[in-house]
């Protein structure tokens, strides 16, 4: 008999209809919030070892939980295991029945969302389309119950849908996705403005303080320390990753351990390949950055030489300019001196002209005064001459008058004497006559 890709389960050794080796599934009932769900056990058993062990009482051994595998034909609990050449489990029907399993930590609506992926309802589409909130629910439950493939699918679908740093941190912490937590921390470090009080309350005040310290340390760095140019973003990103590893190493290691325990073998192999690719890219980037540093050093040296040459040229130009300025200042000083001398000369000439003018005016005034004085003197002399002449005239007149008066007096005296004589004569005559 050819082995099926799944475990081939035959009927027990009794007269009865044979169960189909692939599509004969036992069911299980789950009770959540008063709602009963009756579903095939198989999908839960192959989906998660831990879920099958915890809720379905399937032993978790070397082969997948709840299933018995091997290469020899035997009988397990009354059922004949025909054959299997793979690690595909064989169902243990003794554990099946109509028992009701109560699930905790999940609501009925969340469980329905989870079942959309586990048991897709028939539609014309061959793919399942779920919303962001539904994928978040699937991520939470697959993480809680350790459905590794569902968890991987949820992370793949949500990776491009969750962009807010706070959502990345909170969802990443709750569901052990360290790369989201790192991305959220990077977003808060690079954001414009300070981390608000509400954001600090959501991510934790200790986390906020650590992020503030990283932001402060990065802000205080010289831009050249981030490699500059094309490598500046890469250099800054590496520095942020180093700071996060230093200050959040314990948290990130714990998240990484939890995430590793929830990865399937294919996902682990994929992670190994991705890690190798990241290492290769990182080495290539480091090589490119180192080449960039070397180019920057060469460019910096060239720029330094050019700057030194430019500086020397500028210094020589400055010295020449200073010398020219000094010569110009000397020429200006000489010009000012000549101007001052000219001004002084002009002032002296003006003063001399003013003095000459004053002297001329004084001389003219003096001459005028002398002329006037001479005129006055002449006038006085003329007046004196006139007065003298008048005096002389008056004296002459007086003299004439006196002479006339004297003459008159003399005439009068003579007349009086004559009269006296005549009177004497007459008197004598009369006397004589009287005699």
């Amino acid at each position: 008999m050819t082995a099926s890709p799944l475990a081939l389960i035959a009927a027990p050794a009794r007269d009865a209809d044979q169960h189909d080796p692939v599509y004969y599934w036992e069911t299980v009932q789950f009770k959540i919030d008063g709602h009963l769900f009756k579903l095939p056990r198989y999908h839960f058993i192959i989906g998660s070892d831990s879920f099958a062990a915890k809720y379905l009482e399937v032993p978790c051994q070397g082969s997948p939980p709840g299933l018995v595998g091997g290469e020899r034909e035997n009988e397990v609990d009354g059922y004949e295991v025909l054959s299997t050449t793979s690690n595909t489990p064989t169902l243990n029907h003794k554990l099946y029945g109509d028992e009701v399993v109560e699930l905790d930590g999940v609501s009925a609506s969340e469980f329905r969302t989870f079942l959309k992926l586990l048991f897709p309802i028939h539609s014309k589409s061959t793919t399942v389309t779920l919303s962001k909130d539904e994928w978040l629910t699937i991520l939470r439950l697959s993480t809680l119950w350790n459905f590794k493939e569902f968890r991987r699918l949820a992370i793949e679908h949500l990776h491009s849908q969750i962009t807010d740093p706070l959502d990345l941190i909170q969802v990443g912490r709750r569901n052990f996705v360290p790369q989201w937590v790192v991305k959220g921390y990077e977003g808060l470090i690079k954001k414009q403005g300070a981390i608000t009080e509400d954001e600090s309350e959501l991510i934790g005040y200790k986390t906020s303080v650590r992020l503030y310290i990283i932001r402060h340390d990065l802000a205080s760095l010289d831009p050249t320390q981030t490699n500059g140019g094309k490598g500046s973003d890469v250099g800054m990103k590496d520095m942020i990753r180093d700071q996060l590893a230093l200050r959040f190493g314990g948290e990130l290691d714990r998240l990484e351990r939890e995430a590793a325990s929830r990865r399937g073998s294919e996902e682990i192999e994929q992670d190994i390949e991705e890690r190798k690719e990241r290492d290769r890219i990182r080495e290539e980037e480091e090589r490119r950055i180192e080449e960039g540093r070397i180019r920057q050093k060469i460019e910096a040296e060239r720029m330094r030489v050019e700057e030194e040459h430019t500086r020397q040229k500028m210094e020589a130009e400055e010295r020449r300019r200073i010398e020219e300025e000094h010569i110009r200042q000397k020429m200006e000083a000489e010009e000012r001196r000549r101007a001052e001398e000219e001004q002084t000369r002009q002032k002296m000439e003006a003063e001399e002209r003013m003095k000459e003018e004053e002297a001329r005016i004084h001389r003219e005034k003096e001459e005028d005064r002398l002329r006037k004085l001479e005129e006055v003197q002449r006038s006085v002399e003329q007046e004196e001459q006139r007065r003298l002449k008048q005096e002389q005239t008056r004296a002459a007149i007086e003299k004439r008058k006196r002479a006339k008066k004297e003459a008159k007096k003399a005439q009068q005296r003579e007349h009086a004497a004559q009269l006296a004589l005549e009177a004497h004569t007459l008197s004598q005559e009369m006397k004589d006559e009287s005699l």
Side-chain angles (χ1 to χ4, degrees):
M1 182 180 293
T2 303
S4 170
L6 298 174
L8 301 181
I9 305 171
R14 62 178 180 271
D15 294 335
D17 294 334
Q18 290 186 351
H19 297 165
D20 186 87
V22 178
Y23 294 106
Y24 186 84
W25 293 332
E26 296 292 340
T27 60
V28 62
Q29 296 186 69
F30 295 105
K31 183 178 180 181
I32 304 172
D33 296 338
H35 295 269
L36 288 176
F37 299 83
K38 190 172 184 180
L39 303 163
R41 298 165 57 96
Y42 177 78
H43 296 71
F44 294 96
I45 294 173
I46 65 171
S48 171
D49 294 356
S50 58
F51 184 91
K54 181 177 181 179
Y55 294 107
L56 304 180
E57 299 180 359
V58 176
C60 185
Q61 300 294 334
S63 56
L67 304 170
V68 179
E71 299 202 359
R72 57 184 177 83
E73 296 183 359
N74 61 356
E75 188 174 312
V76 179
D77 295 328
Y79 284 84
E80 182 183 4
V81 179
L82 298 180
S83 175
T84 180
T85 57
S86 66
N87 289 330
T88 304
T90 304
L91 304 181
N92 184 346
H93 287 263
K94 186 178 181 179
L95 299 175
Y96 295 178
D98 295 329
E99 75 276 12
V100 176
V101 178
E102 294 190 10
L103 296 180
D104 51 1
V106 61
S107 66
S109 61
E110 290 177 330
F111 192 57
R112 289 191 195 97
T113 299
F114 187 77
L115 295 179
K116 285 184 181 181
L117 187 61
L118 189 61
F119 301 102
I121 297 176
H122 175 71
S123 66
K124 294 181 181 180
S125 175
T126 58
T127 59
V128 178
T129 302
L130 300 173
S131 67
K132 175 183 175 181
D133 290 337
E134 288 175 329
W135 278 116
L136 286 171
T137 299
I138 292 172
L139 175 61
R140 187 181 78 81
L141 296 182
S142 63
T143 300
L144 176 66
W145 294 331
N146 204 15
F147 279 77
K148 298 177 180 179
E149 289 302 317
F150 283 13
R151 171 181 160 86
R152 180 182 62 80
L153 286 174
I155 291 174
E156 287 179 359
H157 280 82
L158 290 171
H159 185 72
S160 60
Q161 299 186 47
I162 304 178
T163 57
D164 182 72
L166 296 177
D167 292 341
L168 286 168
I169 294 171
Q170 291 179 297
V171 176
R173 283 175 172 176
R174 285 196 299 266
N175 299 284
F176 310 114
V177 188
Q179 62 268 30
W180 289 357
V181 177
V182 171
K183 187 177 179 181
Y185 287 162
E186 290 176 349
L188 291 179
I189 290 172
K190 295 177 181 179
K191 68 170 287 191
Q192 295 293 328
I195 299 174
T196 65
E197 186 175 349
D198 292 338
E199 292 171 339
S200 299
E201 188 174 355
L202 289 174
I203 64 176
Y205 289 102
K206 184 178 290 186
T207 298
S208 298
V209 171
R210 290 174 179 173
L211 292 177
Y212 171 79
I213 293 173
I214 294 175
R215 284 162 60 98
H216 179 271
D217 291 344
L218 294 176
S220 62
L221 290 176
D222 183 21
T224 57
Q225 293 179 323
T226 61
N227 298 326
K230 297 181 180 179
S232 58
D233 293 339
V234 177
M236 179 60 72
K237 187 173 182 179
D238 289 341
M239 296 180 73
I240 292 175
R241 290 293 176 93
D242 293 341
Q243 288 286 330
L244 290 176
L246 176 65
R247 302 189 182 278
F248 295 95
E251 177 188 5
L252 298 178
D253 287 344
R254 180 180 62 81
L255 292 174
E256 187 62 42
R257 287 194 300 271
E258 293 290 346
S261 67
R262 289 166 173 79
R263 292 193 183 100
S265 58
E266 292 182 1
E267 191 175 359
I268 292 174
E269 292 177 359
Q270 182 179 356
D271 287 346
I272 292 173
E273 293 298 324
E274 289 178 354
R275 189 177 296 109
K276 289 180 179 178
E277 182 64 17
R278 285 197 302 270
D279 291 342
R280 186 191 65 78
I281 293 173
R282 185 182 181 87
E283 290 175 359
E284 181 67 21
E285 187 64 27
E286 289 177 352
R287 182 187 62 78
R288 189 183 64 79
I289 291 173
E290 185 62 27
E291 291 177 353
R293 288 197 186 101
I294 294 173
R295 286 196 300 270
Q296 288 177 0
K297 288 181 180 179
I298 295 173
E299 183 66 18
E301 182 64 21
R302 184 185 65 78
M303 291 180 64
R304 188 191 66 78
V305 172
E306 290 182 355
E307 288 176 357
E308 181 67 19
H309 179 69
T310 303
R311 184 185 62 80
Q312 292 176 355
K313 185 177 179 180
M314 290 177 66
E315 288 179 353
E317 183 68 21
E318 184 67 16
R319 286 194 298 270
R320 184 187 63 78
R321 189 190 64 78
I322 292 173
E323 291 176 357
E324 291 178 352
E325 182 68 18
H326 181 66
I327 293 172
R328 185 184 64 79
Q329 290 177 355
K330 285 180 68 176
M331 292 176 66
E332 288 180 353
E334 183 66 21
E335 186 67 23
R336 284 194 300 271
R337 185 185 62 78
R338 285 198 299 268
E340 289 174 357
E341 290 179 352
E342 180 66 20
Q343 186 178 6
T344 303
R345 184 185 63 77
Q346 292 176 357
K347 186 176 180 181
M348 291 177 65
E349 288 179 353
E351 290 177 353
E352 187 67 25
R353 285 194 300 270
M354 185 177 64
K355 288 180 179 180
E356 291 178 355
E357 185 67 19
E358 289 177 353
R360 184 184 64 78
I361 293 172
H362 179 71
R363 188 169 58 252
E364 289 179 353
K365 287 182 178 180
E366 186 66 21
E367 290 175 354
D368 186 61
R369 186 184 66 80
L370 292 175
R371 187 172 59 255
K372 288 181 179 180
L373 183 59
E374 290 176 355
E375 290 177 355
V376 169
Q377 288 178 350
R378 282 196 301 272
S379 177
V380 170
E381 289 177 354
Q382 290 175 359
E383 183 66 24
E384 184 66 22
Q385 290 175 359
R386 185 182 63 78
R387 188 184 61 81
L388 289 174
K389 189 175 181 180
Q390 287 177 353
E391 286 291 331
Q392 290 175 355
T393 303
R394 281 196 303 271
I397 293 171
E398 286 293 329
K399 187 177 181 180
R400 283 194 300 273
K401 285 181 179 181
R402 282 193 305 269
K404 286 180 180 181
K405 189 180 286 186
E406 288 293 331
K408 188 176 181 181
K409 284 180 179 181
Q411 188 178 2
Q412 287 177 352
R413 280 193 305 270
E414 288 178 0
H415 181 66
Q418 186 178 0
L419 288 176
L421 180 58
E422 288 178 359
H424 181 64
T425 301
L426 181 55
S427 173
Q428 194 67 34
E429 289 178 352
M430 288 179 69
K431 189 177 177 176
D432 288 337
E433 285 181 0
S434 59
L435 296 170

